Structures are given as C-alpha cells and as structure tokens.
Amino acid sequence: VVAALRPGDLEGVTVMVTAGPTREEIDPVRFISNHSSGRMGYAVARAARQRGARVILVSGPTGLAAPAGVERICVESARDMQAVVMEHVKECMVVVKTAAVADYRPAERKGDKIKKQAAEMTLTLVKNPDILAELGRLKKRPFLVGFAAETSRLEEYAAQKLAEKNLDMIVANDVSLGDAGFNVDTNRALFLFRDGSRQECPLMSKDELANRILDQIASRLPAQRR
Ligand code: CTP
Ligand code: CA
C-alpha cells in the first residue's frame, strides 16, 4: 500500500543493498556469526525494486528467498562481501548497508576440525575490513546509508558512525528493546542525516520502515545523479 503511493520513483536508479550476517569460519565445521535475520535488508531490496530501482542484493546466509526481480549475490564472510560490494559499487547510485558484518574473524582458519583438549582455549581474532567506511572514502561516493545497532547511547553512537564513515544517512536501532532490530518483523528507528537533521520512526513493520528509508533516499538524491 505504501509503495503504491510512490510508484516508480526509483526508476533509473541502481541500488545496492547488503543484508544478513556474515560467517567467519573457524574450521570446517564451525564459524562465528550473529543474530541478524536479513529481514530488514530484504525488505529494503523488495521495496526498492517495487519502486522501480534496479536492485543488487549482496546477502550473507539467511535462508530467505530472493525478492522477485532483485539480482542477488550470496556471500559468506565479511571479506567475500567486501569483494562483491567493491566490484559492483561503480554501477550504484545508492548503497544501503543493512548487513551485520562480523567485526572480527579468526586469525587463522584451521584446515582440520579442532579437537577438544584443555578446559580452556583461546581463539585469536583479527579485525575485518569496514566495508562501509571504505565506501565512504571513495572519490566518487554513492548515496550512502548505514545502519547502527546499539544497546545504549543510540543517538550519540549513530551520529559518530555517520560522521566517521562519511555517510549521507544512518538508520539507528535500539536492539535492546526486543521489538526492534535483530530477528523480529518490526522495527523502530531514528534517522540521522549528513545535514544534521533527524527523524524518528515509530514502531512499524520492516516493510513500512523500508519504504520510509527509501522516501528519504528518493527525496535526497541530487537530480543530476538520476
Ligand atoms: N559495517 C561494515 N563493515 C564492517 C562493520 C560494519 O560495512 N566491518 C557497516 C554495517 O553494515 C552498518 C554500519 O557499518 O551499516 C554500522 O555497523 P555497526 O556494527 O553498528 O558499527 P561498527 O562500526 O561495526 O561499530 P560497533 O560494532 O563497534 O558499534
Ligand atoms: Ca559492528
């Protein structure tokens, strides 16, 4: 219903959406990941397509079906996601980074299954590349939308990410609330923008929130970029 009010307002625009968790392998049978369901990103991809965009969906493992008409590229690790995103970014006017990228990966992936031994073990992790920050450093930057999942000091941390990663917009979720963010069908959010403006979105379905995000993007895309 919401999308029908803005039919085709993203025609001629290519949007990349990243969604879901990443998986960082420890050995052939184990990995590090997080609770991201991918639903928010898939909702953005579906809504953008319904509004006429060409949509490239770069997805971590979610078990979700690709929305109709969306070009999906499936990835596992943060570094896989980075490679695919950087390969396709030149085609894109807009990038929406909903993915919950693992911040760290095991320093080494063991070729053989790790056998249990002592009562304690230590796994050394190393930092993954920050894909969004890398996009923010590009000379020809697309319109960049980040997400911030926080459990405290929501606005402060989100504003910091907006500035540090050189974004146009950030969607901040308080994931401590239970009805927002990870693994639920609803979300409430705070939008912060490069120009210092802010907008609060009350609790709504992820499909509705996706359209609210796209409303902001559509109205802020410079005419010459269309
Ligand atoms: N992000 C990314 N690459 C990473 C980590 C995060 O592209 N290696 C992106 C996410 O997709 C999201 C935004 O950065 O759009 C913010 O992610 P978040 O985890 O909230 O912030 P971090 O910068 O990782 O900081 P922290 O987890 O310490 O809060
Ligand atoms: Ca993080």
Side-chain angles (χ1 to χ4, degrees):
V1 180
V2 183
L5 299 173
R6 313 104 163 152
D9 67 348
L10 291 174
E11 248 159 53
V13 177
T14 301
V15 178
M16 175 154 54
V17 181
T18 72
T22 66
R23 256 182 208 178
E24 311 298 327
E25 293 200 341
I26 298 168
D27 70 12
V29 298
R30 305 182 177 97
F31 57 81
I32 296 175
S33 193
N34 59 64
H35 285 301
S36 171
S37 67
R39 277 180 272 185
M40 190 64 239
Y42 276 61
V44 172
R46 186 181 313 109
R49 181 67 198 129
Q50 284 168 351
R51 292 166 70 148
R54 175 187 170 213
V55 179
I56 301 172
L57 173 61
V58 184
S59 177
T62 64
L64 299 173
V70 163
E71 299 162 43
R72 180 169 67 170
I73 303 170
C74 292
V75 297
E76 295 259 325
S77 70
R79 288 191 295 176
D80 294 345
M81 183 173 282
Q82 177 192 30
V84 171
V85 167
M86 297 319 291
E87 182 189 335
H88 289 279
V89 64
K90 285 173 216 74
E91 305 157 47
C92 302
M93 202 175 287
V94 178
V95 177
V96 184
K97 281 230 70 208
T98 65
V101 182
D103 292 327
Y104 293 90
R105 67 174 181 277
E108 182 190 8
R109 179 197 182 277
K110 303 283 188 200
D112 285 323
K113 182 184 162 192
I114 299 169
K115 301 302 286 180
K116 71 181 163 212
Q117 290 172 2
E120 265 181 37
M121 76 169 274
T122 303
L123 190 63
T124 303
L125 305 178
V126 295
K127 222 178 205 172
N128 269 328
D130 189 318
I131 305 166
L132 191 51
E134 186 174 346
L135 292 172
R137 289 190 295 266
L138 288 177
K139 210 175 266 158
K140 213 171 153 276
R141 233 171 20 93
F143 189 92
L144 273 186
V145 182
F147 273 66
E150 310 290 353
T151 56
S152 68
R153 293 156 75 181
L154 181 70
E155 186 155 0
E156 179 191 337
Y157 286 140
Q160 210 172 319
K161 286 173 189 174
L162 177 76
E164 279 171 7
K165 302 190 194 212
N166 196 20
L167 310 180
D168 296 286
M169 170 177 178
I170 194 155
V171 178
N173 293 142
D174 187 336
V175 291
S176 67
L177 292 176
D179 55 9
F182 284 9
N183 252 320
V184 287
D185 280 319
T186 53
N187 215 345
R188 73 176 86 231
L190 171 66
F191 299 164
L192 301 178
F193 301 93
R194 174 186 285 275
D195 63 11
S197 58
R198 68 197 287 290
Q199 192 190 21
E200 275 172 62
C201 266
L203 191 66
M204 59 181 75
S205 73
K206 287 187 173 175
D207 288 327
E208 278 178 273
L209 183 62
N211 276 299
R212 297 288 183 95
I213 294 166
L214 293 170
D215 289 347
Q216 293 297 329
I217 295 170
S219 72
R220 285 162 193 267
L221 278 185
Q224 72 271 16
R225 291 167 92 171
R226 307 288 302 259

